[in-house]
Amino acid sequence: MSIGENIKYIQQLKAQAAERSGRSGDDVLLVAVTKLHSAEEINEAIDCGITDIGENKVQEIMDKYEKVKPVRWHLIGHLQTNKVKYIIDKVSMIHSVDSLHLAKEIDKRAAQHGLVMDILIQVNSAMEESKFGITTDQTGDMIHDILQQCPNVRIRGLMCIAPFEDNPDDARVYFAEVKKLFDTYKNIENPNLDFKYLSMGMSNDFEVAIEEGSNLIRVGTSIFGARDYSKKMG
Ligand SMILES: *Cc1c(COP(=O)(O)O)cnc(C)c1O
């Protein structure tokens, strides 16, 4: 299947899952995850209606930025503090904030560019050691600290990567836990705490994630095919 056909199919599944949770497909944003895929493939996806793309490495954003048509870029992978400066004026949202230290660097660089950066807090609800993110218990303190210390950062919601399960139903509890946390913040009125996005769900589990309340899915493999990790970008 072509990239365009895959996108159409994902849009269909996304709409059906949204309807199962009492919403419509338009309520769920599809971010196409383009890591290890070329600018040409990304442009093809944009021609097929993709408005938002996600990369997990700063270097790949740098390499492809000039070659890709206008689109919203999302940084979805672990971000090292010393690399914030390279992407601060390129991405529209950073999904992977998991420390005050990182938030403060984003704040500092955003101020230098006269902008306010949208971020999500990455929550590791399954507490997997192999994954980044803070625990659900730590989230309140982290939000409080960022609000106190980072005026050029706007917290737009939460992000979660569930454990990979052969049966995606088994990830449901982790999504549900993050949704519960999301709901406790979503009606707070504060210009720097404006919850809108719950970023959960990948190729393997996005339908379950949507059923549990996700409104932003990050899908790579199901759009572009398997990634070739032997291929170095650049
Ligand atoms: C790679 C990646 C995805 C997409 O994964 P697929 O299984 O290819 O859909 C989503 N989120 C993050 C953070 C990723 O690194």
Side-chain angles (χ1 to χ4, degrees):
M1 291 227 285
S2 69
I3 288 174
E5 285 166 333
N6 289 340
I7 290 170
K8 244 195 204 142
Y9 183 58
I10 301 290
Q11 300 278 21
Q12 260 173 33
L13 296 179
K14 175 178 85 127
Q16 289 163 1
E19 278 157 28
R20 287 196 294 276
S21 70
R23 296 175 293 160
S24 91
D26 293 339
D27 296 330
V28 182
L29 177 64
L30 170 60
V31 173
V33 175
T34 52
K35 64 190 185 208
L36 293 173
H37 293 288
S38 66
E40 289 70 31
E41 290 168 286
I42 301 172
N43 284 331
E44 190 178 334
I46 293 169
D47 288 340
C48 297
I50 289 295
T51 55
D52 292 77
I53 63 173
E55 287 282 353
N56 71 334
K57 291 220 163 68
V58 167
Q59 187 62 48
E60 282 200 58
I61 296 177
M62 307 289 288
D63 290 344
K64 297 179 215 172
Y65 193 74
E66 296 295 334
K67 300 178 198 149
V68 169
K69 296 178 179 188
V71 71
R72 281 190 295 267
W73 293 75
H74 297 245
L75 195 282
I76 59 174
H78 182 65
L79 177 58
Q80 283 173 284
T81 311
N82 63 0
K83 294 191 175 158
V84 172
K85 57 179 177 283
Y86 300 120
I87 50 103
I88 191 74
D89 59 340
K90 296 186 173 59
V91 302
S92 61
M93 191 154 72
I94 299 172
H95 291 222
S96 43
V97 175
D98 60 359
S99 73
L100 179 62
H101 181 61
L102 175 59
K104 283 167 89 167
E105 175 66 14
I106 294 169
D107 178 62
K108 177 177 133 190
R109 297 297 175 181
Q112 287 173 352
H113 285 268
L115 56 85
V116 174
M117 179 53 67
D118 280 353
I119 66 158
L120 304 179
I121 309 284
Q122 183 173 352
V123 180
N124 182 354
S125 61
M127 296 203 242
E128 284 184 292
E129 278 185 30
S130 61
K131 294 219 171 84
F132 292 101
I134 59 171
T135 66
T136 47
D137 289 349
Q138 293 167 328
T139 308
D141 285 346
M142 175 85 74
I143 288 173
H144 179 263
D145 290 348
I146 293 174
L147 283 178
Q148 293 286 311
Q149 300 182 44
C150 305
N152 301 289
V153 162
R154 186 163 56 150
I155 310 173
R156 301 310 307 271
L158 304 174
M159 180 269 223
C160 151
I161 304 174
F164 183 91
E165 307 282 0
D166 288 326
N167 179 355
D169 263 330
D170 294 340
R172 203 175 278 282
V173 288
Y174 305 115
F175 293 134
E177 195 179 341
V178 181
K179 169 66 159 74
K180 217 165 83 189
L181 193 58
F182 180 83
D183 286 343
T184 62
Y185 290 100
K186 76 173 181 209
N187 293 321
I188 295 176
E189 277 187 46
N190 180 323
N192 290 87
L193 180 70
D194 183 10
F195 266 42
K196 176 162 184 220
Y197 298 108
L198 181 53
S199 170
M200 310 193 295
M202 308 172 30
S203 291
N204 183 55
D205 56 18
F206 73 88
E207 293 173 270
V208 170
I210 293 170
E211 287 167 14
E212 294 301 326
S214 165
N215 61 20
L216 187 163
I217 56 174
R218 310 174 309 268
V219 178
T221 309
S222 294
I223 293 175
F224 297 104
R227 288 178 288 272
D228 180 357
Y229 282 97
S230 68
K231 187 171 69 179
K232 272 200 84 182
M233 296 302 303

